[in-house]
Amino acid sequence: MTTAGASNPFPLILPESLVLGQLSAALGSFIKAAAWEVGELFDAVLAPAFGVDWLSENFGGVYTPNLHDPDFVFNWHQPDSILWQALPPYSPDLKNRFGNARRTRNRWEHETAKQNVHSFLNGVDQLRRLADPLTLDVANYGPSLLERAKLLHKAGGVLPPSESEIELQRQKEQAEEARREAEEAVKMANETAAAANQLGVKAAEASKAKEQAVQQLAQVQADLEMLERNLAYAGRASRQSLTEPADDLEPGAPWGDLPLGIRTLTLKANMVDLMDRTTQTLLSQQMGPIATEAAARWLQILPSGGLVHLTPAGHAAGQLDGVYVYLGRLDHS
Amino acid sequence: MSAVKIGPLTLHTNAIGWSEASARGFGQSEATGIEYPAVVTGPSGLEIDVKIFMSDTGEGMVHCPDLSGVPADYGRLAHGARLGVYTLESGDWAIKQLRLLRFSPSKGWGNPTRTSLEELDRLMGSSTVELLASLGMDDVGSRTEVLGARGDDLAVRWPTTAGPELPLACYTLTRVLPIHEALS
């Protein structure tokens, strides 16, 4: 129910895990988007009726409230408030729904640390219960958030990495440690062999030890490469098991109103790679060539690189001339 | 491909490899050569694009080539403050003057001046020699010790097989880290 020509600047953020920060960001996107849309609704009706200064003239005091501020929008609006002229007919029930939205906003704004999955689900429900009777466009945020929370709950709280990915990652870290040790062993064996050659003693023995160390390093390296391949397969399977609305988009198409992925990356034109802004690691270090291949494809659409949002299924969106466009999927099929 | 910790900063390289390039910075002429990109990350989402460039004539530099790849507070890095890298007659590579940028947050500016291993150790909070050794360094010390040249500046020498991380790490340590510490 947005006024013509205005688009909501608060796209839905879907949580990728059930940790508090993710839930707060997700519910926050619903609260801000709903407040923005109701503010537009007020302005569309009240500006023609009372003039463009209706807000300051009717609600201004020391400060004039912000039209889109949840603190102004979500309130127990009194029956005689002019705001009801932009809303469905006054009822105590609808007034309470505004009040409950305010409570939700205040809890997540001022007492975030005390919140949890249950209060998140309740908060989504309270916002939905207000958005539905007002027929807000953002009413669809509610079902999307509830569906994602359910999916995350079933998946044990996190999407991705899957459990198999975590286990493979652990094995990979062990293999990397083993490789470091093997490299050190080769270095020492080289030094010993060189010293033995110089002194002309035990040269054959040192040479054999060096050969063994080199073989050990080759084996560890092969194990590591196999683990990296398995990890890449597991990650790909995890991402491709998800169905998302962006599945139907073609690279370069407008992203539209689809929820942006909460995982943010920097598409790096100079390195043809992606920097995970949360973990501050290159995606190629986590995923190998999948990341650099995706970066090369996405740079054809965004040649200068920049901020990219990645969904759990691996769909990427980035801004081109101020508009979000679909860049493609991490796993090129 | 690696991630090298340098105090609170991390230098990242990937497997993109060396590529042909050209750069300004040697007089006013444009030089051709090869380059290797990298990125330095740090607290509060810090991301700085850096590169090592080696010209065909054997002179090179580590630098921030593009102002857009540098946060505003670190703009000094995109205006000079390059770290010179040279090919020696032996074929090894060397930094002949490893100097430390003295950055003033109020002026937003500063210049590199002579430093010591002890000062770099304090800045980084760990051993500079160990860091450079882990990246393939052959020698670090005064110019006299390392290069047989006059002067008390620090110098570093390494074989070309050591990869691009060593000079990039020297730049991170002596250019990016002092600004980060001054701003913190």
Side-chain angles (χ1 to χ4, degrees):
Chain A
M1 196 164 167
T2 307
T3 50
S7 79
N8 199 311
F10 298 104
L12 174 61
I13 293 175
L14 287 173
E16 289 185 12
S17 81
L18 296 178
V19 299
L20 195 53
Q22 296 258 338
L23 297 179
S24 176
L27 187 58
S29 72
F30 194 7
I31 291 170
K32 285 172 187 161
W36 188 88
E37 195 174 339
V38 176
E40 288 292 293
L41 183 61
F42 288 155
D43 202 46
V45 174
L46 300 178
F50 296 94
V52 291
D53 294 327
W54 67 268
L55 187 63
S56 58
E57 285 174 3
N58 289 274
F59 297 92
V62 179
Y63 305 106
T64 298
N66 183 323
L67 178 64
H68 303 109
D69 186 351
D71 188 45
F72 167 68
V73 171
F74 300 141
N75 221 321
W76 286 271
H77 302 300
Q78 295 306 308
D80 58 350
S81 169
I82 62 167
L83 296 177
W84 286 104
Q85 295 185 31
L87 298 170
Y90 170 83
S91 71
D93 174 57
L94 190 53
K95 179 184 164 191
N96 274 337
R97 291 184 189 215
F98 269 99
N100 288 336
R102 182 178 185 81
R103 282 201 189 97
T104 297
R105 178 261 177 191
N106 284 349
R107 279 195 195 111
W108 286 84
E109 183 73 23
H110 304 300
E111 298 181 313
T112 315
K114 293 182 183 173
Q115 307 311 310
N116 53 41
V117 177
H118 299 295
S119 61
F120 171 80
L121 296 173
N122 180 54
V124 171
D125 190 51
Q126 295 298 348
L127 266 292
R128 183 192 60 76
R129 285 164 62 80
L130 178 63
D132 281 345
L134 301 184
T135 63
L136 300 182
D137 285 343
V138 297
N140 63 8
Y141 282 25
S144 298
L145 285 170
L146 293 176
E147 189 184 338
R148 172 52 62 88
K150 203 189 300 177
L151 185 63
L152 288 169
H153 193 66
K154 271 165 61 180
V158 180
L159 273 180
S162 64
E163 280 181 19
S164 62
E165 282 173 272
I166 292 168
E167 173 57 21
L168 283 165
Q169 186 65 40
R170 190 187 62 74
Q171 290 178 21
K172 184 183 158 194
E173 282 165 12
Q174 280 184 340
E176 281 171 343
E177 181 62 32
R179 179 175 63 178
R180 277 191 289 277
E181 286 172 6
E183 282 172 345
E184 190 60 30
V186 168
K187 196 175 159 192
M188 285 177 66
N190 275 333
E191 287 169 4
T192 308
N197 270 335
Q198 271 190 349
L199 296 170
V201 293
K202 295 185 179 174
E205 208 174 294
S207 176
K208 194 177 171 188
K210 177 183 158 187
E211 199 178 309
Q212 282 176 344
V214 170
Q215 280 176 359
Q216 173 74 13
L217 177 59
Q219 181 60 49
V220 169
Q221 184 66 33
D223 290 348
L224 184 58
E225 284 168 11
M226 188 189 70
L227 280 165
E228 282 173 347
R229 278 196 300 277
N230 290 345
L231 191 57
Y233 290 140
R236 183 186 172 116
S238 172
R239 290 187 292 275
Q240 292 193 330
S241 67
L242 299 172
T243 303
E244 291 183 352
D247 290 348
D248 299 328
L249 293 178
E250 290 293 327
W255 182 259
D257 294 330
L258 299 180
L260 289 168
I262 198 168
R263 187 175 188 187
T264 53
L265 309 164
T266 307
L267 177 58
K268 302 205 75 67
N270 63 333
M271 300 177 78
V272 194
D273 209 327
L274 293 145
M275 171 62 72
D276 187 321
R277 293 162 73 101
T278 307
T279 61
Q280 289 200 316
T281 53
L282 286 170
L283 214 58
S284 62
Q285 285 172 342
Q286 298 174 23
M287 298 181 167
I290 290 173
T292 47
E293 287 163 13
R297 290 194 306 275
W298 300 351
L299 282 168
Q300 290 174 10
I301 300 171
L302 288 183
S304 302
L307 182 65
V308 166
H309 291 263
L310 194 68
T311 69
H315 291 295
Q319 275 196 325
L320 184 63
D321 298 328
V323 177
Y324 278 104
V325 294
Y326 179 56
L327 300 177
R329 200 164 189 175
L330 199 54
D331 308 287
H332 191 53
S333 51
Chain B
M1 182 191 301
S2 69
V4 182
K5 289 291 289 178
I6 300 162
L9 308 178
T10 306
L11 168 72
H12 305 264
T13 54
N14 66 5
I16 190 169
W18 292 91
S19 60
E20 290 183 7
S22 60
R24 288 192 180 276
F26 303 92
Q28 284 304 307
S29 61
E30 190 165 88
T32 57
I34 53 173
E35 68 177 18
Y36 206 114
V39 60
V40 177
T41 60
S44 305
L46 179 67
E47 263 185 55
I48 296 176
D49 293 340
V50 297
K51 265 182 189 171
I52 175 170
F53 172 79
M54 280 302 286
S55 75
D56 298 333
T57 59
E59 284 188 42
M61 61 182 169
V62 185
H63 64 143
C64 289
D66 186 357
L67 193 56
S68 68
V70 181
D73 287 348
Y74 291 75
R76 172 69 178 100
L77 297 175
H79 297 99
R82 297 179 286 259
L83 179 65
V85 181
Y86 300 86
T87 307
L88 302 176
E89 283 185 9
S90 64
D92 284 353
W93 285 10
I95 293 167
K96 295 181 178 177
Q97 283 184 321
L98 184 63
R99 293 183 156 190
L100 181 64
L101 184 71
R102 315 287 172 177
F103 185 77
S104 160
S106 58
K107 294 176 184 165
W109 197 257
N111 289 307
T113 63
R114 189 185 301 165
T115 185
S116 65
L117 287 171
E118 294 73 25
E119 186 180 28
L120 295 178
D121 289 352
R122 280 197 301 276
L123 176 67
M124 185 169 54
S126 57
S127 165
T128 305
V129 173
E130 280 182 22
L131 169 71
L132 300 183
S134 72
L135 298 175
M137 171 203 71
D138 264 352
D139 203 3
V140 61
S142 71
R143 281 165 54 87
T144 312
E145 292 164 349
V146 176
L147 304 171
R150 282 191 298 174
D152 293 329
D153 274 300
L154 280 179
V156 189
R157 183 169 53 80
W158 66 97
T160 53
T161 50
E165 285 80 12
L166 194 148
L168 288 163
C170 287
Y171 181 85
T172 307
L173 173 59
T174 60
R175 301 296 190 272
V176 187
L177 186 55
I179 299 182
H180 177 270
E181 293 302 297
L183 294 172
S184 297

